[in-house]
Amino acid sequence: VNETFVDLGVVADGVEEEREANVRATAGEGEMLSFVVFGASGDLAKKKIYPALFALYYEGRLPKNFMIYGYARSKMTTEAFKDKIAESLTCRLDWSKQGGSDCAQKSEEFFDRCVYVAGQYDVAADFKALDAQMCEDEKHVSAVKRVFYLSIPPSIFVPVAQNAARECQCKKGDTRVIVEKPFGRDLTSSRELTAALASELSEEQTYRIDHYLGKELIENLTVMRFSNIMFQPLWNRNYIRNVQINFSEDFGTEGRGGYFDHYGIIRDIMQNHLLQILALFAMEEPASLNAEDIRDEKVKVIRCMRPIEMDNVALGQYKGRLTDGRKYPAYLDDETVPKGSLCPTFAAMALFIDNARWDGVPFLLKAGKALHKRQAEIRVQFRHAPGNLYGERQGRVEHVTNELVIRIQPDEAIYLRINNKVPGLGQRLDQTVLDLQYKSAYGQVQLPDAYERLILDVINGDKRLFIRNDELEAAWKLFTPLLDKIEQQKIAPELYPYGSRGPIGAHYLASRFNVRWG
Ligand code: NDP
Ligand code: BG6
């Protein structure tokens, strides 16, 4: 095992105590955790699930007794499985700086709890064998929690859930199943999937993951809104002119073209990640922080959304570009993408919430691949201060509107643009920012990866950050008519160069609402 890969043990002042408390809370209970990753040989398992599990172990957040089972069709020994996990654990901090010297030892301890079981996804006997192995490992404990992570293509969600539910239900405690997106590709297929899963698992057992809900700044949205009195009175149509929720990536589909072409950017990013952010941003204050109260408010606000008009949508697809002798491929150059595909890799749209709080306020959503930067953020533009005290002077507007920016990634930050007097004898106004940069404010604290937070929530049975079936239904009801129109009318996306700011149509769209994309 490579020694250079880890240091997760960094804690800032004040965080140590909280961690200690959590360690006690999770490690001392005596309940065993059996965690199964279906699709253990795959990309997501390697990129996200193993690093998150190891980080939780390293931080003392897993129960003392736990086992991790990798399950997939690939032939692999447990030793090879451990090597695969080892490769996936990347360095999260310069480990020589902080006390990470026990990382190598911790990783060996962690690998001791990892087992690989090869099996087919549709053969009940293989699941029985997995169950037998788990029962053997669980035989000395009286309380067990089993978590099954469906890290597999959606085409096999149902048979795997069925087999897991029928053959591997926990005999000594709860069984929970994590389902990855996509949850269908329209209202009908999503309902079918929900019904098929519901025939095997209760809603209580089902954890639909949207990893954006596990990101630090998204978790912070509710705290920011409801614990700061200064924001509460401003959070409505009287003070907010428009809201942007932007997602961009500076790389294309890169080998995932086959998957992507079946879904497109609206299903891949907007119907889930961006809509979830919007719901948390716009919902009414929940009765409590309890999962059901929060999800009640989210679903309510999504149900208030106006059907999306095609006129309020701009679509794009990236084309190739040659820059400084380097060739950036077009979406259509991806061999797994069908020739002539009209699949959008970029979309921008204006959405409206027809309720008393948000009536008339445009929510502009934008998501794109192969753009000029990787970033996700929320930008809130406030109305102009009324009156003309610092308004137009000598024919030019001196002050600009206040803007609150919540940068979700990278370089997490929250800043507020305000008008300020330029220091000195004159009366000139300038813009400046009240600025919370996570790096400087919270020093060396390593923000947990979204998957780390979400997996821990599943273990603890906290469903706040998971999508309830009625939320999913409301989200598909909003997007399905638009998706049908785009596909039935074969609407061609506007081409934009790889690495650019996206298609011109998106800028026209924003300008109709007096907005410039941030
Ligand atoms: P993979 O394509 O890597 O598949 C995971 C494993 O499933 C494979 O290693 C393979 O294992 C098995 N598998 C693949 N195709 C089939 C098939 N047609 N029939 C049966 N088994 C198959 O998927 P990912 O790991 O990328 O994704 C897993 C899930 O997570 C998917 O639902 C995906 O949509 C979702 N997701 C993935 C993200 C990512 O970044 N990768 C991001 C967000 C969501 P074996 O052959 O050994 O059984
Ligand atoms: C996934 C999408 O849900 O989110 C991918 O399927 C996208 O296409 C990814 O790249 C982005 O996640 P993050 O956390 O890297 O912003």
Side-chain angles (χ1 to χ4, degrees):
V1 173
N2 181 350
E3 281 202 351
T4 59
F5 58 78
V6 260
D7 178 8
L8 308 165
V10 180
V11 279
D13 290 348
V15 182
E16 184 71 55
E17 271 176 31
E18 191 217 346
R19 179 207 273 184
E20 295 266 302
N22 278 312
V23 172
R24 279 196 302 276
T26 52
E29 303 300 325
E31 186 184 52
M32 176 170 173
L33 169 70
S34 297
F35 195 102
V36 182
V37 183
F38 291 114
S41 53
D43 181 57
L44 184 74
K46 184 170 170 180
K47 257 184 0 204
K48 295 292 183 182
I49 304 174
Y50 305 139
L53 284 168
F54 178 70
L56 290 172
Y57 174 67
Y58 190 91
E59 290 166 3
R61 300 209 182 235
L62 293 184
K64 247 188 197 137
N65 290 319
F66 76 94
M67 286 297 292
I68 291 168
Y69 302 89
Y71 183 103
R73 298 171 306 181
S74 301
K75 295 270 173 284
M76 195 177 357
T77 61
T78 288
E79 279 316 303
F81 177 55
K82 290 177 186 178
D83 286 343
K84 196 173 184 65
I85 299 176
E87 280 166 28
S88 73
L89 306 182
T90 46
C91 182
R92 291 182 46 188
L93 275 178
D94 176 0
W95 78 310
S96 60
K97 272 196 223 142
Q98 308 285 340
S101 52
D102 57 345
C103 287
Q105 187 201 330
K106 284 272 186 197
S107 58
E108 290 305 333
E109 290 165 12
F110 179 76
F111 296 139
D112 281 348
R113 314 292 190 88
C114 299
V115 175
Y116 183 75
V117 179
Q120 299 296 316
Y121 298 114
D122 53 358
V123 176
D126 292 351
F127 285 76
K128 279 199 174 86
L130 170 68
D131 183 61
Q133 164 94 59
M134 288 197 279
C135 288
E136 175 62 22
D137 296 335
E138 293 163 352
K139 72 180 177 211
H140 298 299
V141 287
S142 54
V144 179
K145 193 177 291 160
R146 287 189 179 176
V147 175
F148 298 102
Y149 200 130
L150 306 191
S151 182
I152 42 176
S155 55
I156 52 169
F157 282 168
V158 175
V160 172
Q162 241 166 30
N163 278 318
R166 289 178 191 175
E167 312 300 341
C168 306
Q169 285 273 2
C170 188
K171 286 101 194 144
K172 295 180 176 176
D174 288 349
T175 302
R176 294 173 188 163
V177 179
I178 306 177
V179 188
E180 261 296 346
K181 65 174 264 262
F183 313 118
R185 64 185 302 283
D186 54 20
L187 186 57
T188 311
S189 53
S190 161
R191 278 183 177 160
E192 283 166 8
L193 176 63
T194 302
L197 291 177
S199 67
E200 304 296 334
L201 303 162
S202 67
E203 179 65 18
E204 197 47 41
Q205 291 179 301
T206 312
Y207 287 73
R208 294 180 196 85
I209 212 164
D210 181 318
H211 76 283
Y212 263 63
L213 293 181
K215 293 198 184 255
E216 185 62 41
L217 271 81
I218 302 302
E219 263 273 76
N220 192 42
L221 249 183
T222 337
V223 178
M224 203 182 92
R225 281 191 62 190
F226 301 118
S227 74
N228 291 298
I229 193 155
M230 60 187 280
F231 289 125
Q232 294 209 6
L234 302 182
W235 220 258
N236 58 57
R237 63 191 299 273
N238 297 326
Y239 297 97
I240 292 182
R241 207 154 54 100
N242 63 69
V243 180
Q244 293 176 39
I245 305 178
N246 298 336
F247 165 96
S248 63
E249 278 181 339
D250 56 0
F251 48 88
T253 47
E254 314 215 315
R256 285 182 81 213
Y259 152 82
F260 191 86
D261 202 75
H262 192 52
Y263 291 93
I265 196 79
I266 297 177
R267 292 183 181 92
D268 192 43
I269 303 291
M270 288 185 151
Q271 179 270 350
N272 36 65
H273 305 328
L274 300 198
L275 186 67
Q276 284 295 320
I277 297 174
L278 187 155
L280 283 172
F281 181 95
M283 70 182 185
E284 297 300 313
E285 181 167 345
S288 76
L289 291 177
N290 172 312
E292 299 320 318
D293 287 335
I294 293 178
R295 298 189 303 175
D296 284 348
E297 293 307 332
K298 274 164 58 194
V299 77
K300 225 192 281 171
V301 80
I302 298 174
R303 283 195 189 132
C304 289
M305 293 180 74
R306 197 184 297 171
I308 308 167
E309 291 167 30
M310 200 58 229
D311 278 355
N312 287 345
V313 177
L315 301 174
Q317 186 186 85
Y318 63 91
K319 59 181 180 181
R321 169 157 149 178
L322 189 67
T323 308
D324 302 331
R326 185 169 166 199
K327 187 175 182 304
Y328 294 89
Y331 174 66
L332 295 178
D333 291 339
D334 187 326
E335 281 173 6
T336 57
V337 168
K339 290 211 172 353
S341 167
L342 295 178
C343 176
T345 59
F346 175 100
M349 59 184 70
L351 302 180
F352 292 89
I353 302 172
D354 289 334
N355 67 10
R357 184 185 286 270
W358 297 113
D359 192 11
V361 178
F363 283 78
L364 291 154
L365 269 53
K366 185 175 73 167
K369 297 218 169 240
L371 294 174
H372 68 302
K373 62 180 171 188
R374 175 174 179 265
Q375 194 171 70
E377 62 178 20
I378 307 171
R379 301 183 89 89
V380 188
Q381 291 189 337
F382 291 88
R383 294 192 184 283
H384 293 285
N388 204 26
L389 205 54
Y390 293 105
E392 288 186 31
R393 308 179 105 221
Q394 294 157 359
R396 68 196 167 99
V397 177
E398 287 244 346
H399 68 293
V400 293
T401 52
N402 297 132
E403 188 177 35
L404 174 70
V405 180
I406 300 168
R407 192 158 63 224
I408 302 161
Q409 66 185 28
D411 299 329
E412 291 79 0
I414 300 173
Y415 55 92
L416 179 64
R417 274 185 213 286
I418 58 164
N419 294 296
N420 201 48
K421 191 175 98 52
V422 176
L425 296 178
Q427 270 297 333
R428 226 159 43 79
L429 294 196
D430 194 11
Q431 259 199 300
T432 186
V433 285
L434 301 177
D435 195 2
L436 167 62
Q437 296 286 330
Y438 272 53
K439 264 196 193 129
S440 44
Y442 296 106
Q444 288 290 349
V445 178
Q446 183 71 43
L447 297 180
D449 185 77
Y451 280 84
E452 217 176 302
R453 190 191 309 276
L454 294 170
I455 288 175
L456 185 61
D457 283 352
V458 178
I459 296 169
N460 291 336
D462 183 346
K463 300 199 83 175
R464 246 172 349 118
L465 302 179
F466 295 84
I467 316 295
R468 206 168 59 186
N469 52 5
D470 55 345
E471 270 185 90
L472 184 61
E473 169 100 4
W476 279 122
K477 272 191 181 149
L478 178 67
F479 279 98
T480 300
L482 173 75
L483 290 160
D484 285 349
K485 225 174 266 168
I486 294 171
E487 282 157 13
Q488 282 156 14
Q489 295 175 12
K490 297 194 171 20
I491 295 176
E494 181 187 335
L495 297 181
Y496 61 93
Y498 194 119
S500 68
R501 288 171 183 272
I504 307 290
H507 299 282
Y508 286 132
L509 173 70
S511 67
R512 276 184 30 226
F513 298 95
N514 282 329
V515 175
R516 278 186 62 179
W517 294 109

